Amino acid sequence: MKYFLNFSLLFRNRNYGLLFLGQFVSFMGTMIGGVALPYQIYHETHSTLMVGLLGLFQLLPLLFTALIGGVFADRYHRRLLLLITETLLAIGALLLAWNASRIAPHIGTIFFVASAMSAITGLHRPALDSITQQIVDKKDFTTVGALRTLQFSVSMIIGPAIGGLIIAHYGVMVTFIVDFASFFVSTISLCLMTHIPKPNNRQEDESTFRSVKKGFQYALSRQELIGTYLVDFVAMVFGMPNALFPAIAVSFGGAKTLGLLYSAPAVGALLVSFWSGWFEKIKRHGAAVAVAAIGWGVSIIFFGMSHHLGLALFFLAWAGLFDAVSGIFRMTLWNQTIPTHIRGRMAGIEMISYLSGPRLGDTESGLVASLFGVTTSVISGGVLCVVGVAVCCFCLPRFWRYKAE
């Protein structure tokens, strides 16, 4: 039995290897640039409210374009969509670098460009998620999920650290130039990929609204899909304590521990991605997603009860591990069971699910913490996560019983 992540897919599948390399570099650049945006806004305005508004300005357009991006991914050449959106994102990074080079960077420009780049990401991500299904064999979908987890976790650990060092030594402008360079690498990788056919979509003459509606109807017709969306949404809304990390860090030594709290879940995800070879033997994908989500909730409960930094980081790492397991099996289920002609629209719905959950989770945890205290907020969130996942499994029996062929 294979216990460890199989990297051979990157070498025996040229198209996927190029896609993985390009997106790895691109996402690393995005994480580096992502550190600079809130830093620059706070440096210029000294307002935490303005930093919070940036997240809102980035989320709202993305929720709209993700649905449109799903329709486009099912109608047009997905590689062409990726090339266009990556080029537009590169231009956005250059505009941010130009604005940062000014003696007094314009805050309105930052908000406008960041919002536009977020909207473009909504058009980019569905094409990226759905093109994988076209270039990878069905038997390798679990490996793809593990490689994606590896890609994200490494970038989330290393990217912000590199971004902070660049800001400290060379300034904000250089971080945006690095982000631009990363998009250049990803577009070259896309150009080197061999021909990928256009999706065989029979609804090209339909209106965008009707296509989106059909996507939602398809999702609602399948309990196993709805289960993956709802379980992840519940886990993020109730069990995501990120907004409380600054307050929690105070009891563990202050700002110097804040970065450790943010990076601990990614460390857990990184570890499980290496030890994911045996996941291919598991066929109860719905149950695996649910059990992993419950594991996330239990880990968050113990994190809330921890009074020592080492224990807190240990349980956060376990939470990240369970979140990664859930993500791997969600992605495997999606790629194995969703037809190619509608995969883009489902990717758009998935995007809304996993982006809105954490944002609402920040609001929920902050509200409960203001009323009952930080510890109560964290522990109650973990408990509600476990209960919520159990309710989802009870109400969606086909999701719980789903078994891959």
Side-chain angles (χ1 to χ4, degrees):
M1 181 184 292
K2 297 177 181 178
Y3 291 98
F4 301 103
L5 177 59
N6 183 8
F7 288 95
S8 66
L9 177 63
L10 300 176
F11 304 98
R12 56 185 167 85
N13 187 324
R14 182 176 181 273
N15 276 346
Y16 182 72
L18 287 168
L19 182 69
F20 178 87
L21 174 63
Q23 294 305 312
F24 200 161
V25 174
S26 175
F27 188 63
M28 183 72 75
T30 298
M31 295 304 297
I32 292 172
V35 173
L37 276 175
Y39 173 85
Q40 187 180 27
I41 289 178
Y42 186 76
H43 183 266
E44 297 297 329
T45 65
H46 301 286
S47 169
T48 55
L49 175 61
M50 294 296 287
V51 176
L53 286 175
L54 174 66
L56 180 63
F57 271 69
Q58 289 175 304
L59 176 64
L60 292 178
L62 189 148
L63 294 178
F64 174 75
T65 58
L67 296 176
I68 306 299
V71 174
F72 285 0
D74 287 336
R75 285 186 179 179
Y76 307 120
H77 290 282
R78 288 162 178 167
R79 183 171 63 157
L80 180 60
L81 286 171
L82 290 175
L83 284 168
I84 293 171
T85 52
E86 296 258 340
T87 301
L88 292 174
L89 289 169
I91 293 172
L94 274 184
L95 288 173
L96 289 173
W98 166 78
N99 187 57
S101 69
R102 300 168 67 183
I103 296 176
H106 194 269
I107 299 301
T109 300
I110 298 174
F111 272 80
F112 175 78
V113 176
S115 299
M117 292 179 71
S118 182
I120 295 167
T121 300
L123 303 175
H124 172 275
R125 187 61 181 269
L128 175 62
D129 286 348
S130 55
I131 199 173
T132 303
Q133 191 185 51
Q134 288 184 276
I135 63 177
V136 177
D137 291 335
K138 191 173 182 178
K139 63 183 177 61
D140 292 320
F141 285 152
T142 302
T143 301
V144 167
L147 286 169
R148 178 73 70 86
T149 300
L150 173 70
Q151 183 185 78
F152 282 2
S153 55
V154 170
S155 298
M156 290 174 70
I157 294 169
I158 299 177
I162 295 175
L165 290 174
I166 292 175
I167 292 172
H169 293 283
Y170 304 104
V172 170
M173 182 185 71
V174 178
T175 62
F176 295 130
I177 293 176
V178 171
D179 193 15
F180 165 78
S182 73
F183 286 122
F184 180 77
V185 172
S186 63
T187 53
I188 293 297
S189 297
L190 288 168
C191 290
L192 291 174
M193 293 170 65
T194 56
H195 176 68
I196 299 170
K198 180 181 177 182
N200 183 20
N201 195 333
R202 299 179 295 275
Q203 291 88 26
E204 286 194 21
D205 296 331
E206 286 183 341
S207 67
T208 300
F209 174 78
R210 184 169 177 80
S211 293
V212 170
K213 181 180 177 182
K214 281 192 172 182
F216 276 104
Q217 288 174 337
Y218 176 81
L220 291 171
S221 70
R222 294 187 51 197
Q223 277 194 13
E224 59 271 28
L225 285 186
I226 293 297
T228 61
Y229 303 151
L230 287 180
V231 164
D232 184 57
F233 185 79
V234 167
M236 294 299 102
V237 168
F238 295 116
M240 177 67 82
N242 283 19
L244 304 179
F245 282 171
I248 295 171
V250 173
S251 62
F252 288 132
K256 62 184 179 181
T257 64
L258 181 59
L260 296 176
L261 294 175
Y262 279 117
S263 62
V267 172
L270 177 62
L271 292 175
V272 80
S273 67
F274 282 114
W275 194 56
S276 59
W278 61 277
F279 288 0
E280 296 178 3
K281 303 296 181 180
I282 298 176
K283 303 302 180 184
R284 291 282 303 278
H285 293 168
V289 170
V291 171
I294 290 174
W296 160 275
V298 172
S299 298
I300 293 300
I301 292 172
F302 281 104
F303 164 67
M305 297 168 62
S306 300
H307 299 292
H308 299 283
L309 178 61
L311 276 178
L313 296 176
F314 174 77
F315 287 117
L316 278 178
W318 271 101
L321 182 150
F322 284 119
D323 184 44
V325 171
S326 174
I328 290 171
F329 283 108
R330 289 199 309 271
M331 188 178 301
T332 302
L333 190 153
W334 295 336
N335 282 329
Q336 285 186 348
T337 66
I338 298 174
T340 300
H341 73 273
I342 203 171
R343 182 67 183 93
R345 277 166 284 181
M346 293 302 98
I349 295 174
E350 294 153 16
M351 195 174 184
I352 292 175
S353 172
Y354 62 67
L355 285 174
S356 58
R359 298 286 189 233
L360 292 174
D362 288 345
T363 303
E364 182 272 339
S365 60
L367 178 61
V368 175
S370 67
L371 295 174
F372 304 104
V374 171
T375 300
T376 300
S377 177
V378 175
I379 294 176
S380 65
V383 172
L384 289 172
C385 169
V386 173
V387 173
V389 172
V391 171
C392 287
C393 293
F394 178 79
C395 295
L396 302 169
R398 289 203 300 274
F399 160 68
W400 172 255
R401 293 196 302 263
Y402 172 78
K403 185 176 182 180
E405 296 179 1

